[in-house]
Amino acid sequence: MEEVSLRNLRFLVADDFGNFRSTVNAMLVKMGILNIELVPSGEALIAACEKRSFDVILSDYDLGAGRNGQRVLEELRHRNLISRRTLFVLVSGNAAKDVVLASYDWEPDDYLAKPITGRLLEQRLLRLVALREALMPVYQALEKPDRVMAVALLTDLSIANNRHSLAAQKILGDLFLEQGDLDKAERLYGMALQVRPLDWARLGLAKIKQLRGEMEVAAQWMDQILTDNPLYLPAYDALANNLQERGQPKSEQATVARALEVSPMSILRQKRLAAVAEANGDIPTALKAWRHALKLGEYSCHAKAGDALQFARLAVYALETGKVVESQVSDEVIKALALAGDRFDLGPVQELQTAFLRGRLSALDGKLDAAQAQIDKAEARVLNDGIRDVDVDIERVRARQALGKGESADRLLQELLKNYAYDQEALEKLDHLLPEPVSESNREWVAAVNREGIDLYNQAQYDAALDCFERARKLFPVHVGIQLNMVQALIGKKRLSGLPPEEEKQLRDALKLIGSLVESDHSQYARYKRLRQMAYANASS
Amino acid sequence: MTNQSQGVDFSLVLASSVHDMKNSIGMLVASLAQVIEEQPPENDLQAQHFNTLHYEASRINGELVQLLTIYRMQNNYLPFRLDQHYVLDVLEDQVARNHALIDNRHIALAVDCPESLAWYFDGDLVGSVVQNVIVNCCRYTRSRLLVKATEEEGMLCITVADDGVGYPATMLAAPSQQVKVAKVNAGTTHLGLYFAEQIAALHKQHNRHGYIKLTNGGPLGGGVFKIYLP
């Protein structure tokens, strides 16, 4: 091993047990280290890093109340309080990596399982510092940034065939991928794989496939990596991205959910699950994921004020539409909103959204007078302060609906459509309040999904067609065209093979819904009548 | 509905209390090492007492880790993480973890492993197997211990050899059978060997899987433990 010295390095040691801090301190002093700072909590660790920089941080995983070691690392890296030059070593009382693994998004430079001895600590530190020194010129080049130099240095290290080669190969592979240098990355990973089936190299090759447009092959390879090693979290993220790009939100949701089974403490994956589940119309899963995300957010730098609002919006919507009936959800929302208000500096927009949501909750609770008062007050503020924000405006519409003032809500909506006529992004959001989308992007999307469904219908692939229409219906539940297509596909299937009871019910419900939406002057009225006759004719035959 | 108390899974309760015990023992071993360092034994008798304390505590720690690992293995909770490791790093870590025990017993320990020998295995699990064997050897060896790693016909072979009296004949024949026939009151359950064998077998590649082998004689004339990994 190269000659490295620990003597002049600056150390920071964090543990909530004074006993352990002094033990580690004694070990470090014995190694001749002079510059040591001891802190009792995650908060103190972060505060120390805000003031000074350190070469090595030794932190226990368990730091008592407040952030744990993993959350501290997440925050330090996220806020750029430490660079790659600072070594972060996580010490864990629990057997090795499993606890640590259960939460990792940011990997520490090393793990140490308790009990640790002075000799063990020194050995590990010497190794880590030797690696850091070998990579230091690379870090300097990357910080400059001088990528050409970094690649040259890493290439030398990679082929040196010494104990720093593997680390260099990993970094080099990432760099090639970032630069789109696919051929070079492929050669590098291929070389690494000749020796052993390394997960990171296999995933690298799968990513290259994907970047070359072979999306399905890439997904198969990622799947295979996960079959061989279900604990390899980066492969779940890559696969979820792949499925997202291919427009397979159901599989994407399943993949994110699998990653969370392995590592439930990842707040970013919980938020992703919430978003994709909501898009899939799976409201119970979305709500559950938001709950986890809010809980994890308590000590995470990835927590946002908007998280509580998103949870609240979804939960209130679910309560209003009867998709959720548990009454305690209401209390939960109130608590989440209050917490967000305490913890974050809410701007006027978020304060107003909160106020409207509170009004809707009062309405749900049957306290219509209170709801009216809350909503009027918020409305007054919108007008007085001249707030123009589509998210607030959507809340205004929903609040009127919650008070049972459908006509007033519709009037406001028509006004908003005029106000935002040239703002496609805002129109996309307003689409969800309308029977049919007005934004170009959503119109195109609905048209495309509809076309796909009609193609499938024409090939008598009724189940696939129904899937298509179902996707569109999730987003635009009262879109007459989609509903009618659905009815038509159900009738087709019924003629071919008969319908199971739940689809029979779906058919009746859809016809009932359409009946409530179209008057005799509606352009689709004739089609509706014809389909209804066909459906009932079938029923009687 | 079933009665709540009947629904409690004993193995689960056991596993969670084993987990607690292990953490306590971990603290105990660390404190003990510190005490010995701050107040070195004044005479041989004291040194011997310290040795016993230290050895027994390390042994309990090792046993608890094994119990927990086997529980996790049976319930599919065991995180089995293959990665590229330098074998020397893993071996040196195990020696460093137990250096107090080794020093106090005046055992001459040698590590023989090429610095560049890298292998693809679970460093934590194989490390704990090697650590258990080292702790065990500290008790049975006379004065010397050898920890060695080589590549043999495409397999990594880690050897722990001592100059003690060697393994009993029944263990040489079929190490793993010992767990099934072991009598609890016989003093030892050979859980360690069962553990080692299971960990070895988890490592598979190209239709080959890991195994362990016990012999006597070898480089130091005592017991020889070998774990082979593909």
Side-chain angles (χ1 to χ4, degrees):
Chain A
M1 197 179 289
E2 292 92 308
E3 278 303 313
V4 291
S5 164
L6 303 174
R7 284 183 65 91
N8 297 317
L9 301 180
R10 295 153 300 173
F11 276 77
L12 178 60
V13 178
D15 197 297
D16 55 329
F17 279 112
N19 190 354
F20 185 80
R21 285 198 302 274
S22 57
T23 307
V24 173
N25 186 50
M27 289 174 185
L28 295 175
V29 169
K30 215 176 153 205
M31 294 173 210
I33 294 156
L34 304 166
N35 199 332
I36 307 166
E37 190 170 334
L38 308 173
V39 288
S41 69
E43 284 64 33
L45 198 167
I46 290 169
C49 288
E50 282 169 348
K51 290 193 206 99
R52 282 173 291 282
S53 59
F54 297 91
D55 297 297
V56 183
I57 299 172
L58 290 173
S59 171
D60 199 279
Y61 176 79
D62 193 354
L63 294 171
R67 289 167 177 75
N68 64 32
Q70 186 69 38
R71 294 270 168 265
V72 168
L73 173 61
E74 179 183 86
E75 179 146 357
L76 292 177
R77 294 253 162 95
H78 183 72
R79 290 175 56 197
N80 271 323
L81 288 173
I82 59 173
S83 70
R84 299 200 69 150
R85 298 164 185 228
T86 301
L87 294 169
F88 192 99
V89 179
L90 206 50
V91 183
S92 161
N94 288 301
K97 292 180 199 167
D98 50 348
V99 166
V100 175
L101 174 82
S103 63
Y104 94 71
D105 285 312
W106 296 100
E107 238 179 320
D109 294 281
D110 203 2
Y111 307 86
L112 272 177
K114 282 183 186 173
I116 57 172
T117 65
R119 184 94 45 107
L120 178 73
L121 183 60
E122 184 168 17
Q123 218 161 260
R124 288 280 183 104
L125 288 173
L126 285 171
R127 260 184 236 145
L128 288 169
V129 171
L131 178 62
R132 186 181 81 140
E133 283 184 14
L135 291 173
M136 195 57 90
V138 176
Y139 296 154
Q140 282 161 354
L142 285 174
E143 280 164 22
K144 244 178 204 174
D146 182 349
R147 281 168 172 266
V148 179
M149 175 61 96
V151 167
L153 289 166
L154 285 167
T155 307
D156 284 348
L157 283 168
S158 294
I159 54 178
N161 203 18
N162 62 23
R163 50 171 43 244
H164 303 137
S165 304
L166 275 175
Q169 284 172 10
K170 265 194 217 184
I171 305 175
L172 188 56
D174 288 342
L175 213 54
F176 282 150
L177 279 188
E178 261 173 49
Q179 293 177 335
D181 227 332
L182 302 187
D183 292 340
K184 282 187 186 157
E186 192 168 33
R187 269 202 302 281
L188 176 83
Y189 292 133
M191 212 173 71
L193 286 173
Q194 275 173 8
V195 194
R196 295 285 157 186
L198 300 160
D199 293 328
W200 55 268
R202 292 174 71 190
L203 183 58
L205 284 183
K207 282 182 179 167
I208 292 169
K209 274 277 172 233
Q210 178 160 337
L211 288 168
R212 290 198 169 130
E214 294 180 55
M215 303 295 286
E216 274 170 45
V217 181
Q220 278 166 18
W221 288 10
M222 290 166 184
D223 244 343
Q224 190 56 48
I225 296 169
L226 288 171
T227 308
D228 295 342
N229 181 5
L231 301 177
Y232 191 57
L233 294 167
Y236 291 103
D237 296 335
L239 182 57
N241 292 342
N242 175 297
L243 292 162
Q244 185 182 31
E245 269 188 49
R246 285 159 64 200
Q248 300 191 5
K250 282 216 174 111
S251 307
E252 181 194 347
Q253 180 181 337
T255 304
V256 180
R258 272 170 72 202
L260 283 166
E261 260 174 47
V262 176
S263 169
M265 288 170 76
S266 164
I267 179 172
L268 294 177
R269 288 196 196 93
Q270 293 285 7
K271 288 200 208 181
R272 180 172 189 172
L273 179 61
V276 69
E278 185 179 345
N280 283 331
D282 182 354
I283 291 180
T285 302
L287 285 175
K288 206 167 134 203
W290 273 124
R291 283 187 189 104
H292 284 300
L294 290 175
K295 182 98 189 48
L296 292 168
E298 204 180 336
Y299 293 115
S300 170
C301 54
H302 296 303
K304 303 257 169 358
D307 296 347
L309 279 171
Q310 290 205 56
F311 166 68
R313 228 180 339 250
L314 183 64
V316 170
Y317 170 76
L319 286 165
E320 285 170 350
T321 50
K323 292 193 165 78
V324 163
V325 288
E326 295 89 351
S327 55
Q328 73 271 18
V329 173
S330 231
D331 294 336
E332 222 184 323
V333 172
I334 290 171
K335 255 188 228 150
L337 290 174
L339 258 176
D342 289 344
R343 196 176 151 197
F344 298 97
D345 238 344
L346 300 184
V349 166
Q350 287 177 328
E351 273 177 11
L352 279 168
Q353 284 174 281
T354 308
F356 282 115
L357 281 165
R358 288 217 169 95
R360 285 164 71 186
L361 279 170
S362 299
L364 275 167
D365 213 10
K367 297 175 192 153
L368 286 177
D369 289 342
Q372 182 77 60
Q374 281 166 306
I375 289 166
D376 285 348
K377 205 174 143 200
E379 278 280 356
R381 194 174 157 194
V382 172
L383 298 176
N384 283 339
D385 297 358
I387 305 274
R388 190 188 138 108
D389 178 281
V390 69
D391 291 320
V392 172
D393 285 331
I394 288 174
E395 285 306 322
R396 293 169 67 202
V397 175
R398 296 250 190 239
R400 289 178 196 200
Q401 288 170 342
L403 291 170
K405 300 187 170 167
E407 269 180 39
S408 153
D410 283 344
R411 265 202 312 281
L412 175 59
L413 191 54
Q414 291 311 318
E415 201 181 299
L416 294 175
L417 287 177
K418 269 182 230 142
N419 291 348
Y420 291 106
Y422 301 102
D423 182 346
Q424 284 297 322
E425 216 174 294
L427 289 180
E428 272 176 39
K429 291 184 175 178
L430 291 172
D431 281 344
H432 299 295
L433 295 168
L434 297 163
E436 292 186 22
V438 290
S439 73
E440 277 167 33
S441 60
N442 278 336
R443 291 172 87 113
E444 276 167 25
W445 184 82
V446 168
V449 173
N450 249 336
R451 263 199 309 278
E452 194 186 334
I454 291 165
D455 275 350
L456 289 163
Y457 173 86
N458 288 335
Q459 296 161 32
Q461 296 188 37
Y462 300 119
D463 280 325
L466 282 168
D467 267 353
C468 251
F469 299 135
E470 181 63 27
R471 257 159 59 206
R473 196 185 62 99
K474 284 252 164 68
L475 284 179
F476 302 104
V478 287
H479 189 296
V480 173
I482 296 169
Q483 292 285 349
L484 285 169
N485 285 344
M486 209 138 184
V487 166
Q488 194 164 345
L490 284 166
I491 292 171
K493 183 176 173 185
K494 186 172 179 174
R495 287 187 168 168
L496 186 75
S497 58
L499 288 181
E502 67 274 11
E503 281 182 340
E504 191 68 63
K505 182 175 182 303
Q506 201 183 352
L507 177 59
R508 280 197 307 273
D509 289 349
L511 282 167
K512 218 157 84 191
L513 176 69
I514 302 165
S516 74
L517 294 172
V518 297
E519 304 283 331
S520 54
D521 56 349
H522 193 283
S523 62
Q524 301 258 34
Y525 186 74
R527 184 171 167 224
Y528 157 66
K529 255 181 82 179
R530 202 171 55 245
L531 287 171
R532 197 180 60 175
Q533 267 170 5
M534 283 165 76
Y536 291 135
N538 260 290
S540 60
S541 69
Chain B
M1 284 308 275
T2 51
N3 188 319
Q4 274 292 319
S5 67
Q6 284 175 344
V8 173
D9 176 1
F10 180 67
S11 65
L12 186 71
V13 175
L14 192 63
S16 81
S17 60
V18 163
H19 188 84
D20 278 351
M21 286 192 267
K22 188 188 68 65
N23 287 343
S24 294
I25 291 281
M27 289 294 274
L28 202 120
V29 173
S31 310
L32 193 62
Q34 209 182 350
V35 168
I36 297 177
E37 203 158 306
E38 284 164 7
Q39 283 151 355
E42 287 162 9
N43 53 48
D44 282 358
L45 191 64
Q46 248 184 33
Q48 216 181 324
H49 286 318
F50 277 170
N51 277 346
T52 311
L53 266 175
H54 202 271
Y55 168 75
E56 295 298 339
S58 305
R59 229 172 67 95
I60 297 175
N61 187 52
E63 295 257 345
L64 293 176
V65 170
Q66 285 172 8
L67 272 178
L68 213 52
T69 308
I70 289 167
Y71 172 78
R72 287 179 179 160
M73 212 143 57
Q74 288 186 345
N75 290 280
N76 291 324
Y77 292 150
L78 187 70
F80 180 58
R81 295 243 292 170
L82 289 173
D83 205 349
Q84 188 102 337
H85 297 281
Y86 290 102
V87 182
L88 182 64
D89 291 355
V90 176
L91 298 183
E92 280 185 340
D93 276 359
Q94 309 318 317
V95 175
R97 274 188 196 287
N98 298 287
H99 79 98
L101 183 66
I102 295 162
D103 292 353
N104 289 340
R105 287 182 173 255
H106 305 293
I107 294 166
L109 186 144
V111 177
D112 178 8
C113 174
E115 199 183 302
S116 61
L117 179 59
W119 210 260
Y120 192 66
F121 61 102
D122 187 314
D124 289 322
L125 291 177
V126 172
S128 66
V129 167
V130 173
Q131 141 139 336
N132 284 324
V133 178
I134 290 177
V135 170
N136 197 44
C137 286
C138 280
R139 168 140 178 224
Y140 292 105
T141 189
R142 282 197 193 90
S143 61
R144 293 207 292 155
L145 256 183
L146 173 69
V147 181
K148 187 179 168 179
T150 48
E151 193 181 335
E152 285 179 20
E153 292 167 9
M155 303 273 271
L156 170 69
C157 171
I158 299 174
T159 306
V160 182
D162 65 32
D163 63 352
V165 294
Y167 292 101
T170 48
M171 279 172 72
L172 295 178
S176 66
Q177 291 303 310
Q178 296 287 325
V179 173
K180 288 157 203 153
V181 300
K183 295 189 179 74
V184 178
N185 57 5
T188 174
T189 54
H190 299 290
L191 191 60
L193 289 173
Y194 173 73
F195 174 76
E197 202 159 67
Q198 297 293 312
I199 300 294
L202 279 177
H203 291 80
K204 293 176 201 138
Q205 207 193 356
H206 303 315
N207 301 325
R208 297 213 285 182
H209 54 82
Y211 60 95
I212 63 167
K213 203 164 125 186
L214 297 181
T215 51
N216 284 331
L220 300 182
V224 181
F225 169 92
K226 284 181 186 226
I227 180 166
Y228 289 87
L229 302 172

